[in-house]
Amino acid sequence: MTEPASAGRLFSAPVGATDTQVWADFQALCDLGGRVAGSASEAAALAFAQSRLAAVPGTKFRADPVQYPGWRCRTAQLTSATTGITLSCMPLLGTAPAAGLVAEVLDLGLGRREDFERHANRIRDRIVLVRHEYPFISGHVHRRLKLTLAQEMGAVGFLIAYPEAGVGAVSGSSGRNGGAGIPALGVGAEAAEAFRALPDGTLPAARMVIETDDYPARTRMLVADLPGQGPHWVVVSAHIDGHPHGESAMDNATGVAVALSLARMLAPHVSECPRGLRICLFSAEEWALAGSRIWLEQMDEAARRSMVININLDSVGGAHGLTALTSGFERLDAWVKATAARAGLPITTHLPLMANSDHANFAAHSIPAVRLIAGFNVPESNLRLVLTAADTRNKVRPGELDEALRIATALTWQALTAADATLSSLAAQRG
Ligand SMILES: [Zn+2]
């Protein structure tokens, strides 16, 4: 690092401290349910987090309104048109409706691009069935890419199956955002089994009924500023919204609880730092990252430029060991490794951009952005249950939140106190 050796000594680092309330806040968020944007559960979680942030001494709190393409689902039913059996399903967030659509189901296995291409002439006018993949691994193919391929190649419906029996249907966003689309449901492994082709190649048929409303929705982004000495901000973010089933515990009660603790721990120290600390609790993240994207778009360039780094906490419990996704910023990747090593904290990094949480919207505006995540490249970890009804508090251990808090605090503190030249160098991007 090019930073002068003396830089860190000007400040007494509060790193290594713990916050006893992190576990209580995590439980309180889980108590409020899945927190899907637009629900009473989300509203209660926003009110809870707002009261917690406002109680941090020295914060300037505001709630920025954001309008996003809202959607609600009145009915979602999936039946086998062959056997008449009803199968459990979850409408993908924002999915297009279906008025008793009946079509044959074509199983494309994982549903990667080569699977679609191999069966290109069989897709039109059928419902395609693909598998959900562990999302936190290099090389995984995202649900929305599979859905886009299905739509482009003429499928009339889309089913995505969770691969493990006994867990139930998988959720996720359709990414439609009020635009064109095909009906899309998450299902369990048992439904995928029910739509297996017969030995003679005959395809089973499915019936989909999905009744939905698109509407202009409003939510708010909670912003708590702790000013420093200068005009620039270190942004620590976490998304508060989740999915309708389960407790959205790992994803992302963990990140919100850690962000609240981090704010309490650093608050007494920030006014002496060269930069201020901004805590952002976003919503409508599960809607293809709409909330933070719109929030960033609707501010002027100078306001965006005042935010010099984003440290995004998303799914930071559920496994031991954290990875920093460093969004293609090479100097940021090296800085994260060096900072964690200096603090004696273990962390791995992954440099390629993964557009799987709010940090990607900061990166799109060339703001150095990192996502901390547990269980990266560990597909057998509890993180495999994210997006299912099994994302509940019992998948997280208190020590995992403490570990995430220590690492997030160390990185944030270094970002608050580093030399200007060091911070500005982090924006260097790969290629
Ligand atoms: Zn998340």
Side-chain angles (χ1 to χ4, degrees):
M1 298 300 291
T2 53
E3 189 182 330
S6 62
R9 291 192 209 130
L10 296 171
F11 309 96
S12 56
V15 173
T18 54
D19 178 84
T20 51
Q21 213 175 334
V22 64
W23 189 248
D25 283 352
F26 168 70
Q27 301 269 340
L29 285 159
C30 291
D31 284 343
L32 299 172
R35 308 183 303 282
V36 67
S39 69
S41 171
E42 180 220 16
L46 285 169
F48 167 80
Q50 179 165 337
S51 71
R52 281 285 191 269
L53 282 175
V56 177
T59 50
K60 292 180 181 166
F61 177 84
R62 66 179 200 267
D64 289 344
V66 163
Q67 272 200 25
Y68 67 100
W71 168 94
R72 63 174 79 84
C73 184
R74 285 173 275 122
T75 304
Q77 286 170 3
L78 175 68
T79 47
S80 164
T82 312
T83 64
I85 292 171
T86 298
L87 299 147
S88 79
C89 64
M90 286 293 297
L92 296 192
L93 295 178
T95 176
L101 165 74
V102 177
E104 288 177 334
V105 177
L106 179 66
D107 187 342
L108 294 180
L110 274 182
R112 296 194 156 196
R113 186 178 289 277
E114 56 270 26
D115 300 315
F116 277 89
E117 285 170 356
R118 198 168 342 108
H119 296 279
N121 60 354
R122 303 178 68 203
I123 292 169
R124 183 158 298 279
D125 295 332
R126 291 195 165 119
I127 295 168
V128 299
L129 167 64
V130 302
R131 301 299 178 291
H132 171 78
E133 297 181 43
Y134 186 66
F136 309 130
I137 195 163
S138 31
H140 115 283
V141 174
H142 196 278
R143 162 188 66 256
R144 283 199 295 279
L145 179 66
K146 299 178 183 190
L147 177 53
T148 299
L149 285 170
Q151 194 169 330
E152 285 174 357
M153 295 174 77
V156 292
F158 180 81
L159 301 174
I160 184 163
Y162 191 76
E164 189 180 331
V167 176
V170 68
S171 181
S173 166
S174 71
R176 186 176 68 94
N177 282 337
I182 57 175
L185 296 172
V187 297
E190 296 76 8
E193 189 61 29
F195 291 120
R196 182 187 283 274
L198 297 177
D200 68 357
T202 306
L203 297 179
R207 181 167 191 270
M208 295 169 79
V209 177
I210 310 174
E211 293 175 6
T212 63
D213 301 309
D214 289 319
Y215 68 102
R218 262 171 96 86
T219 185
R220 48 195 207 277
M221 309 292 133
L222 308 184
V223 182
D225 282 348
L226 288 150
Q229 298 279 313
H232 291 147
W233 298 97
V234 172
V235 180
V236 172
S237 60
H239 73 86
I240 205 162
D241 65 312
H243 287 272
H245 53 188
E247 297 175 336
S248 300
M250 290 179 282
D251 182 14
N252 186 30
T254 58
V256 174
V258 169
L260 291 172
S261 278
L262 179 146
R264 285 189 292 268
M265 283 174 50
L266 293 184
H269 310 277
V270 178
S271 64
E272 302 298 315
C273 294
R275 289 163 211 99
L277 173 60
R278 172 170 292 169
I279 306 290
C280 290
L281 299 181
F282 294 122
S283 191
E285 188 271 354
E286 300 289 3
W287 303 70
L289 316 181
S292 62
R293 176 177 57 76
I294 295 165
W295 181 76
L296 279 160
E297 283 168 1
Q298 70 191 17
M299 69 180 68
D300 63 35
E301 180 64 10
R304 275 195 298 269
R305 291 276 77 85
S306 74
M307 300 186 287
V308 290
I309 186 172
N310 170 230
I311 298 168
N312 183 42
L313 311 175
D314 191 351
S315 306
V316 295
H320 273 301
L322 287 172
T323 299
L325 310 180
T326 50
S327 313
F329 293 92
E330 285 183 330
R331 299 289 289 272
L332 174 67
D333 194 272
W335 176 85
V336 167
K337 281 186 192 140
T339 300
R342 255 203 311 271
L345 299 168
I347 196 165
T348 53
T349 65
H350 178 78
L351 180 58
L353 173 70
M354 294 199 86
N356 54 14
S357 187
D358 294 309
H359 64 287
N361 290 325
F362 286 86
H365 288 286
S366 302
I367 299 167
V370 56
R371 173 184 180 177
L372 295 185
I373 181 170
F376 191 75
N377 282 335
V378 191
E380 66 278 12
S381 72
N382 282 343
L383 277 294
R384 76 189 192 282
L385 300 166
V386 159
L387 299 178
T388 76
D391 183 0
T392 48
R393 67 189 82 185
N394 60 338
K395 308 304 185 302
V396 179
R397 295 185 184 140
E400 293 162 359
L401 295 192
D402 295 340
E403 180 184 26
L405 180 56
R406 276 195 296 277
I407 289 180
T409 307
L411 292 175
T412 304
W413 183 252
Q414 192 63 28
L416 287 167
T417 58
D420 283 346
T422 302
L423 250 271
S424 53
S425 75
L426 301 183
Q429 265 169 301
R430 175 187 251 183

PDB file of all heavy atoms in Angstrom, residues 15-36:
ATOM      1  N   VAL A  15     -11.754  -0.989  16.248  1.00  0.00           N
ATOM      2  CA  VAL A  15     -11.875  -2.338  15.707  1.00  0.00           C
ATOM      3  C   VAL A  15     -11.594  -3.366  16.799  1.00  0.00           C
ATOM      4  O   VAL A  15     -10.709  -3.170  17.619  1.00  0.00           O
ATOM      5  CB  VAL A  15     -10.890  -2.511  14.538  1.00  0.00           C
ATOM      6  CG1 VAL A  15     -10.855  -3.952  14.062  1.00  0.00           C
ATOM      7  CG2 VAL A  15     -11.286  -1.581  13.405  1.00  0.00           C
ATOM      8  N   GLY A  16     -12.371  -4.426  16.786  1.00  0.00           N
ATOM      9  CA  GLY A  16     -12.162  -5.470  17.788  1.00  0.00           C
ATOM     10  C   GLY A  16     -13.238  -5.431  18.850  1.00  0.00           C
ATOM     11  O   GLY A  16     -13.449  -6.401  19.567  1.00  0.00           O
ATOM     12  N   ALA A  17     -13.939  -4.314  18.932  1.00  0.00           N
ATOM     13  CA  ALA A  17     -15.047  -4.222  19.883  1.00  0.00           C
ATOM     14  C   ALA A  17     -16.205  -5.098  19.403  1.00  0.00           C
ATOM     15  O   ALA A  17     -16.256  -5.505  18.251  1.00  0.00           O
ATOM     16  CB  ALA A  17     -15.501  -2.774  19.991  1.00  0.00           C
ATOM     17  N   THR A  18     -17.136  -5.377  20.267  1.00  0.00           N
ATOM     18  CA  THR A  18     -18.334  -6.116  19.855  1.00  0.00           C
ATOM     19  C   THR A  18     -19.563  -5.319  20.281  1.00  0.00           C
ATOM     20  O   THR A  18     -19.477  -4.400  21.084  1.00  0.00           O
ATOM     21  CB  THR A  18     -18.402  -7.512  20.495  1.00  0.00           C
ATOM     22  OG1 THR A  18     -18.276  -7.343  21.904  1.00  0.00           O
ATOM     23  CG2 THR A  18     -17.314  -8.425  19.979  1.00  0.00           C
ATOM     24  N   ASP A  19     -20.681  -5.682  19.714  1.00  0.00           N
ATOM     25  CA  ASP A  19     -21.932  -4.994  20.021  1.00  0.00           C
ATOM     26  C   ASP A  19     -22.932  -6.075  20.393  1.00  0.00           C
ATOM     27  O   ASP A  19     -23.239  -6.944  19.591  1.00  0.00           O
ATOM     28  CB  ASP A  19     -22.394  -4.220  18.775  1.00  0.00           C
ATOM     29  CG  ASP A  19     -23.714  -3.514  19.012  1.00  0.00           C
ATOM     30  OD1 ASP A  19     -23.686  -2.405  19.564  1.00  0.00           O
ATOM     31  OD2 ASP A  19     -24.759  -4.084  18.653  1.00  0.00           O
ATOM     32  N   THR A  20     -23.411  -6.011  21.622  1.00  0.00           N
ATOM     33  CA  THR A  20     -24.253  -7.107  22.117  1.00  0.00           C
ATOM     34  C   THR A  20     -25.646  -7.079  21.492  1.00  0.00           C
ATOM     35  O   THR A  20     -26.377  -8.055  21.566  1.00  0.00           O
ATOM     36  CB  THR A  20     -24.404  -7.013  23.648  1.00  0.00           C
ATOM     37  OG1 THR A  20     -24.807  -5.677  23.970  1.00  0.00           O
ATOM     38  CG2 THR A  20     -23.097  -7.333  24.343  1.00  0.00           C
ATOM     39  N   GLN A  21     -26.004  -5.957  20.869  1.00  0.00           N
ATOM     40  CA  GLN A  21     -27.366  -5.838  20.350  1.00  0.00           C
ATOM     41  C   GLN A  21     -27.536  -6.448  18.959  1.00  0.00           C
ATOM     42  O   GLN A  21     -28.659  -6.557  18.466  1.00  0.00           O
ATOM     43  CB  GLN A  21     -27.761  -4.365  20.317  1.00  0.00           C
ATOM     44  CG  GLN A  21     -29.253  -4.186  20.574  1.00  0.00           C
ATOM     45  CD  GLN A  21     -29.638  -2.730  20.662  1.00  0.00           C
ATOM     46  OE1 GLN A  21     -28.818  -1.874  21.004  1.00  0.00           O
ATOM     47  NE2 GLN A  21     -30.869  -2.436  20.344  1.00  0.00           N
ATOM     48  N   VAL A  22     -26.433  -6.843  18.316  1.00  0.00           N
ATOM     49  CA  VAL A  22     -26.531  -7.319  16.937  1.00  0.00           C
ATOM     50  C   VAL A  22     -27.441  -8.545  16.832  1.00  0.00           C
ATOM     51  O   VAL A  22     -28.272  -8.650  15.922  1.00  0.00           O
ATOM     52  CB  VAL A  22     -25.131  -7.583  16.316  1.00  0.00           C
ATOM     53  CG1 VAL A  22     -24.393  -8.705  17.018  1.00  0.00           C
ATOM     54  CG2 VAL A  22     -25.245  -7.864  14.825  1.00  0.00           C
ATOM     55  N   TRP A  23     -27.323  -9.432  17.796  1.00  0.00           N
ATOM     56  CA  TRP A  23     -28.131 -10.654  17.752  1.00  0.00           C
ATOM     57  C   TRP A  23     -29.610 -10.346  18.019  1.00  0.00           C
ATOM     58  O   TRP A  23     -30.500 -10.902  17.363  1.00  0.00           O
ATOM     59  CB  TRP A  23     -27.582 -11.682  18.735  1.00  0.00           C
ATOM     60  CG  TRP A  23     -28.228 -13.028  18.599  1.00  0.00           C
ATOM     61  CD1 TRP A  23     -29.040 -13.640  19.493  1.00  0.00           C
ATOM     62  CD2 TRP A  23     -28.107 -13.930  17.484  1.00  0.00           C
ATOM     63  NE1 TRP A  23     -29.451 -14.861  19.010  1.00  0.00           N
ATOM     64  CE2 TRP A  23     -28.900 -15.070  17.774  1.00  0.00           C
ATOM     65  CE3 TRP A  23     -27.431 -13.881  16.261  1.00  0.00           C
ATOM     66  CZ2 TRP A  23     -29.024 -16.142  16.896  1.00  0.00           C
ATOM     67  CZ3 TRP A  23     -27.549 -14.949  15.389  1.00  0.00           C
ATOM     68  CH2 TRP A  23     -28.344 -16.061  15.708  1.00  0.00           C
ATOM     69  N   ALA A  24     -29.856  -9.436  18.950  1.00  0.00           N
ATOM     70  CA  ALA A  24     -31.247  -9.045  19.246  1.00  0.00           C
ATOM     71  C   ALA A  24     -31.895  -8.375  18.033  1.00  0.00           C
ATOM     72  O   ALA A  24     -33.063  -8.635  17.711  1.00  0.00           O
ATOM     73  CB  ALA A  24     -31.277  -8.117  20.454  1.00  0.00           C
ATOM     74  N   ASP A  25     -31.153  -7.512  17.350  1.00  0.00           N
ATOM     75  CA  ASP A  25     -31.695  -6.851  16.152  1.00  0.00           C
ATOM     76  C   ASP A  25     -31.980  -7.872  15.044  1.00  0.00           C
ATOM     77  O   ASP A  25     -32.991  -7.767  14.334  1.00  0.00           O
ATOM     78  CB  ASP A  25     -30.716  -5.790  15.630  1.00  0.00           C
ATOM     79  CG  ASP A  25     -30.744  -4.520  16.462  1.00  0.00           C
ATOM     80  OD1 ASP A  25     -31.617  -4.401  17.346  1.00  0.00           O
ATOM     81  OD2 ASP A  25     -29.885  -3.652  16.229  1.00  0.00           O
ATOM     82  N   PHE A  26     -31.079  -8.820  14.898  1.00  0.00           N
ATOM     83  CA  PHE A  26     -31.279  -9.882  13.894  1.00  0.00           C
ATOM     84  C   PHE A  26     -32.577 -10.646  14.171  1.00  0.00           C
ATOM     85  O   PHE A  26     -33.401 -10.857  13.270  1.00  0.00           O
ATOM     86  CB  PHE A  26     -30.057 -10.813  13.918  1.00  0.00           C
ATOM     87  CG  PHE A  26     -30.240 -12.092  13.147  1.00  0.00           C
ATOM     88  CD1 PHE A  26     -30.303 -12.083  11.762  1.00  0.00           C
ATOM     89  CD2 PHE A  26     -30.361 -13.309  13.809  1.00  0.00           C
ATOM     90  CE1 PHE A  26     -30.474 -13.262  11.051  1.00  0.00           C
ATOM     91  CE2 PHE A  26     -30.529 -14.490  13.108  1.00  0.00           C
ATOM     92  CZ  PHE A  26     -30.590 -14.471  11.723  1.00  0.00           C
ATOM     93  N   GLN A  27     -32.778 -11.007  15.432  1.00  0.00           N
ATOM     94  CA  GLN A  27     -33.998 -11.739  15.812  1.00  0.00           C
ATOM     95  C   GLN A  27     -35.243 -10.881  15.587  1.00  0.00           C
ATOM     96  O   GLN A  27     -36.276 -11.372  15.119  1.00  0.00           O
ATOM     97  CB  GLN A  27     -33.928 -12.130  17.296  1.00  0.00           C
ATOM     98  CG  GLN A  27     -32.744 -13.002  17.661  1.00  0.00           C
ATOM     99  CD  GLN A  27     -33.055 -14.476  17.556  1.00  0.00           C
ATOM    100  OE1 GLN A  27     -34.207 -14.868  17.567  1.00  0.00           O
ATOM    101  NE2 GLN A  27     -32.031 -15.295  17.444  1.00  0.00           N
ATOM    102  N   ALA A  28     -35.129  -9.602  15.940  1.00  0.00           N
ATOM    103  CA  ALA A  28     -36.286  -8.703  15.799  1.00  0.00           C
ATOM    104  C   ALA A  28     -36.702  -8.582  14.329  1.00  0.00           C
ATOM    105  O   ALA A  28     -37.895  -8.559  14.009  1.00  0.00           O
ATOM    106  CB  ALA A  28     -35.946  -7.329  16.377  1.00  0.00           C
ATOM    107  N   LEU A  29     -35.726  -8.498  13.428  1.00  0.00           N
ATOM    108  CA  LEU A  29     -36.043  -8.421  11.993  1.00  0.00           C
ATOM    109  C   LEU A  29     -36.695  -9.717  11.514  1.00  0.00           C
ATOM    110  O   LEU A  29     -37.661  -9.691  10.749  1.00  0.00           O
ATOM    111  CB  LEU A  29     -34.764  -8.141  11.191  1.00  0.00           C
ATOM    112  CG  LEU A  29     -34.267  -6.694  11.301  1.00  0.00           C
ATOM    113  CD1 LEU A  29     -32.786  -6.599  10.956  1.00  0.00           C
ATOM    114  CD2 LEU A  29     -35.076  -5.777  10.377  1.00  0.00           C
ATOM    115  N   CYS A  30     -36.174 -10.852  11.986  1.00  0.00           N
ATOM    116  CA  CYS A  30     -36.772 -12.148  11.605  1.00  0.00           C
ATOM    117  C   CYS A  30     -38.206 -12.254  12.127  1.00  0.00           C
ATOM    118  O   CYS A  30     -39.081 -12.812  11.447  1.00  0.00           O
ATOM    119  CB  CYS A  30     -35.931 -13.303  12.142  1.00  0.00           C
ATOM    120  SG  CYS A  30     -34.317 -13.458  11.341  1.00  0.00           S
ATOM    121  N   ASP A  31     -38.453 -11.696  13.321  1.00  0.00           N
ATOM    122  CA  ASP A  31     -39.805 -11.723  13.898  1.00  0.00           C
ATOM    123  C   ASP A  31     -40.830 -11.062  12.977  1.00  0.00           C
ATOM    124  O   ASP A  31     -42.020 -11.377  13.046  1.00  0.00           O
ATOM    125  CB  ASP A  31     -39.832 -10.967  15.241  1.00  0.00           C
ATOM    126  CG  ASP A  31     -39.220 -11.770  16.373  1.00  0.00           C
ATOM    127  OD1 ASP A  31     -39.072 -13.000  16.217  1.00  0.00           O
ATOM    128  OD2 ASP A  31     -38.891 -11.157  17.415  1.00  0.00           O
ATOM    129  N   LEU A  32     -40.366 -10.114  12.134  1.00  0.00           N
ATOM    130  CA  LEU A  32     -41.290  -9.341  11.302  1.00  0.00           C
ATOM    131  C   LEU A  32     -41.662 -10.059  10.007  1.00  0.00           C
ATOM    132  O   LEU A  32     -42.468  -9.559   9.229  1.00  0.00           O
ATOM    133  CB  LEU A  32     -40.684  -7.965  10.992  1.00  0.00           C
ATOM    134  CG  LEU A  32     -40.418  -7.105  12.237  1.00  0.00           C
ATOM    135  CD1 LEU A  32     -39.655  -5.843  11.874  1.00  0.00           C
ATOM    136  CD2 LEU A  32     -41.720  -6.760  12.936  1.00  0.00           C
ATOM    137  N   GLY A  33     -41.066 -11.237   9.761  1.00  0.00           N
ATOM    138  CA  GLY A  33     -41.436 -12.023   8.575  1.00  0.00           C
ATOM    139  C   GLY A  33     -40.519 -11.763   7.392  1.00  0.00           C
ATOM    140  O   GLY A  33     -39.439 -11.183   7.542  1.00  0.00           O
ATOM    141  N   GLY A  34     -40.970 -12.157   6.202  1.00  0.00           N
ATOM    142  CA  GLY A  34     -40.102 -12.167   5.018  1.00  0.00           C
ATOM    143  C   GLY A  34     -39.805 -10.792   4.425  1.00  0.00           C
ATOM    144  O   GLY A  34     -38.909 -10.647   3.617  1.00  0.00           O
ATOM    145  N   ARG A  35     -40.608  -9.746   4.770  1.00  0.00           N
ATOM    146  CA  ARG A  35     -40.322  -8.359   4.415  1.00  0.00           C
ATOM    147  C   ARG A  35     -40.311  -8.110   2.910  1.00  0.00           C
ATOM    148  O   ARG A  35     -39.514  -7.318   2.397  1.00  0.00           O
ATOM    149  CB  ARG A  35     -38.986  -7.903   5.048  1.00  0.00           C
ATOM    150  CG  ARG A  35     -38.908  -8.163   6.547  1.00  0.00           C
ATOM    151  CD  ARG A  35     -37.644  -7.664   7.182  1.00  0.00           C
ATOM    152  NE  ARG A  35     -36.431  -8.205   6.603  1.00  0.00           N
ATOM    153  CZ  ARG A  35     -35.938  -9.428   6.849  1.00  0.00           C
ATOM    154  NH1 ARG A  35     -36.558 -10.229   7.703  1.00  0.00           N
ATOM    155  NH2 ARG A  35     -34.839  -9.823   6.268  1.00  0.00           N
ATOM    156  N   VAL A  36     -41.173  -8.777   2.171  1.00  0.00           N
ATOM    157  CA  VAL A  36     -41.230  -8.512   0.729  1.00  0.00           C
ATOM    158  C   VAL A  36     -41.683  -7.065   0.506  1.00  0.00           C
ATOM    159  O   VAL A  36     -42.573  -6.569   1.207  1.00  0.00           O
ATOM    160  CB  VAL A  36     -42.152  -9.530   0.020  1.00  0.00           C
ATOM    161  CG1 VAL A  36     -43.597  -9.370   0.406  1.00  0.00           C
ATOM    162  CG2 VAL A  36     -41.988  -9.438  -1.487  1.00  0.00           C
TER     163      VAL A  36
END
